[in-house]
Amino acid sequence: MCGRTACTLAPDDVPRACGFRDRGGKRRQPRWKDGDGNKYFPSHNVSPQSRTPVLVCSSHFGGEVQTEDRTLAAMQWGLVPSWFKGDPKGFGYKTNNARSEGMMTKGFFKGPLQKGQRCVVLADGYFEWQTGKDGKKQPYFIYFPQNKGEGGDLEDKPEKGEGGNLEDKPECEKASDLEVKHEIGEGGDLEEDPGAWRGRRLLTMAGIFDRWTPPEGGEPLYTYTVITVDAAPATAWIHHRMPAVLDGEAAVRDWLEHGRVPLNKAVELIRPQECLTFHPVSTVVNNSRNKSAECVVPVVIGQEKPTASSKMMSAWLQKGKPAKQDKAEKTPPPNPKPGPPTPKPGLHLSPSAGLMSSWLKRGAKEEERDDKNPSKKRKT
DNA sequence: CCAGACGTTGTT
DNA sequence: GTCTGG
DNA sequence: CCAGACGTTGTT
DNA sequence: GTCTGG
């Protein structure tokens, strides 16, 4: 399940997107651990072994155990235990997820958990592949519902009734805003809060991290794993597992503050969440070398055959590259069978031109990053 | 006691 | 089938 | 998570 | 490091 994400915020924007209020009501932003802002590379197609932003309690980097301070670190996806002997390169192939059902007893995760090494994994959203009877896979992008006004000049929002919004407001503050809260959790009122983040609300997933020190010494390697749970009903028809999503500021805080919230309490946060929305995307995302924004653009299932406009869009997204020539323009009879396979399509958002533009809008500038990697040797 | 594994997903 | 690379 | 490789010898 | 199998 959770083996692919998108994380596209510029390193300098991540701290802003992680603004929160401390128990005194004061606004704070986590800071990057030394140099880590330069180790994270935004991408619309993040695979295990990449470094991505995670939040941890600052106690792990010199702060008091009880501190509310948070630190942003660029950790590597795929947990390498501190006791691992050998070359950690390529070790974490099977530790990108931790089953919540066994994490308290299995050595891989028990150790770090008992040391309070809980982290919050940040992303725009994650990808899930639905396997059809025919064996074909349809990828979906899954994320927190975004509020209106995103980016400032977006005039369209998802139709109401899209993602299952089970926003429970725990012990929130006085602010009764149901409108704006793009920051992690229930933000404050924007009107009197010019410092608030107005961009995308990042998905927050519960993770476990560890620190591995090379035998020969040198920089410690920080790695993490994403905890998984059974899928919530809303998305179970796509896939039967999902990441442990932390919905809201209170949950994020409790997962991070290991000095205040003991493990046996914190584990109560690990459970299926309904608070997500999603849309189908192109199989362009399948190959992790494809980093373009096309990975997150909504598609209409059954209409993935390139249309004139989609070709143009594709070409634009690819920017440098000429639109590839299709091998054969065989176009089977249009027998569109769109929509989610029946069960619970109720809270599905249907792609609209407007929605599409909202996804395109953010891809345009950021991609093009590492798509110039020379593939393997070429046969001669 | 020592040696050796230690993780996940999905699919059958 | 299984493992590595992304 | 998916995609793609998966092998050897000898010579430059 | 810690747990299981022998």
Side-chain angles (χ1 to χ4, degrees):
Chain A
M1 46 117 320
C2 195
R4 209 76 75 79
T5 68
C7 191
T8 63
L9 281 191
D12 287 348
D13 283 337
V14 181
R16 302 206 299 127
C18 295
F20 65 103
R21 291 177 185 282
D22 63 21
R23 282 194 285 286
K26 195 172 137 196
R27 181 166 289 290
R28 295 203 198 184
Q29 283 181 12
R31 274 183 296 187
W32 282 105
K33 173 177 168 287
D34 284 346
D36 271 25
N38 301 319
K39 298 177 182 169
Y40 148 65
F41 301 98
S43 170
H44 287 91
N45 199 342
V46 174
S47 51
Q49 307 297 320
S50 303
R51 287 174 182 273
T52 71
V54 305
L55 284 172
V56 299
C57 174
S58 292
S59 69
H60 298 293
F61 295 105
E64 306 283 329
V65 173
Q66 292 283 340
T67 187
E68 327 176 42
D69 277 343
R70 302 173 186 180
T71 298
L72 267 168
M75 295 192 188
Q76 186 172 299
W77 189 4
L79 189 126
V80 177
S82 58
W83 43 262
F84 179 75
K85 310 294 184 202
D87 188 353
K89 249 188 319 281
F91 172 82
Y93 288 127
K94 287 178 276 208
T95 53
N96 58 310
N97 292 140
R99 291 182 60 85
S100 58
E101 295 87 344
M103 65 180 183
M104 301 294 279
T105 53
K106 297 180 188 245
F108 263 76
F109 312 122
K110 193 170 81 170
L113 279 172
Q114 288 176 342
K115 286 186 279 186
Q117 292 171 343
R118 317 198 291 249
C119 65
V120 173
V121 180
L122 303 169
D124 293 11
Y126 67 97
F127 298 95
E128 201 84 90
W129 280 261
Q130 177 195 35
T131 306
K133 300 180 168 187
D134 49 8
K136 294 224 188 304
K137 308 240 181 127
Q138 172 60 51
Y140 288 80
F141 187 54
I142 307 176
Y143 48 99
F144 275 147
Q146 303 294 307
N147 289 314
K148 63 177 82 177
E150 176 185 1
D153 54 355
L154 237 216
E155 75 290 353
D156 59 296
K157 55 236 160 215
E159 315 276 287
K160 68 169 52 171
E162 27 83 35
N165 263 342
L166 302 200
E167 308 260 338
D168 54 327
K169 309 215 142 210
E171 19 67 55
C172 193
E173 338 287 306
K174 48 279 174 173
S176 65
D177 59 290
L178 13 145
E179 220 54 299
V180 214
K181 51 132 138 268
H182 295 290
E183 299 187 274
I184 289 174
E186 299 62 36
D189 29 307
L190 263 201
E191 328 302 341
E192 17 178 311
D193 213 342
W197 174 247
R198 301 190 53 122
R200 153 164 294 273
R201 180 188 174 192
L202 292 181
L203 182 62
T204 44
M205 297 173 282
I208 303 167
F209 74 94
D210 211 344
R211 182 182 68 179
W212 181 84
T213 305
E216 68 274 15
E219 284 249 321
L221 175 67
Y222 285 89
T223 59
Y224 69 87
T225 187
V226 175
I227 298 171
T228 65
V229 296
D230 275 328
T235 52
W237 61 270
I238 300 178
H239 203 76
H240 70 110
R241 299 288 286 175
M242 71 182 295
V245 170
L246 298 168
D247 183 21
E249 178 52 32
V252 168
R253 184 169 54 229
D254 289 351
W255 186 248
L256 289 177
E257 295 184 16
H258 61 101
R260 180 177 57 83
V261 181
L263 184 55
N264 64 343
K265 275 305 201 181
V267 292
E268 295 171 12
L269 299 164
I270 306 303
R271 51 173 198 225
Q273 294 287 172
E274 298 275 358
C275 55
L276 300 171
T277 188
F278 50 81
H279 62 247
V281 295
S282 157
T283 53
V284 161
V285 75
N286 288 16
N287 192 323
S288 60
R289 301 173 114 94
N290 297 331
K291 304 293 194 187
S292 89
E294 191 178 357
C295 292
V296 299
V297 171
V299 299
V300 177
I301 294 179
Q303 299 202 351
E304 284 155 86
K305 292 298 159 200
T307 63
S309 69
S310 80
K311 278 182 177 173
M312 284 180 57
M313 185 186 73
S314 241
W316 172 68
L317 286 168
Q318 298 292 317
K319 209 147 58 173
K321 305 170 221 174
K324 235 182 304 192
Q325 189 71 23
D326 240 19
K327 24 188 114 174
E329 286 292 359
K330 58 169 186 181
T331 308
N335 48 342
K337 196 69 180 77
T342 329
K344 284 281 176 185
L347 23 78
H348 191 146
L349 62 85
S350 61
S352 69
L355 175 59
M356 177 177 298
S357 75
S358 78
W359 286 102
L360 288 181
K361 152 176 301 188
R362 52 180 23 263
K365 66 195 258 184
E366 190 53 62
E367 40 113 0
E368 167 94 66
R369 182 167 285 276
D370 18 14
D371 212 10
K372 40 131 183 255
N373 46 22
S375 42
K376 298 268 165 151
K377 56 177 172 200
R378 209 127 296 233
K379 221 163 257 187
T380 49

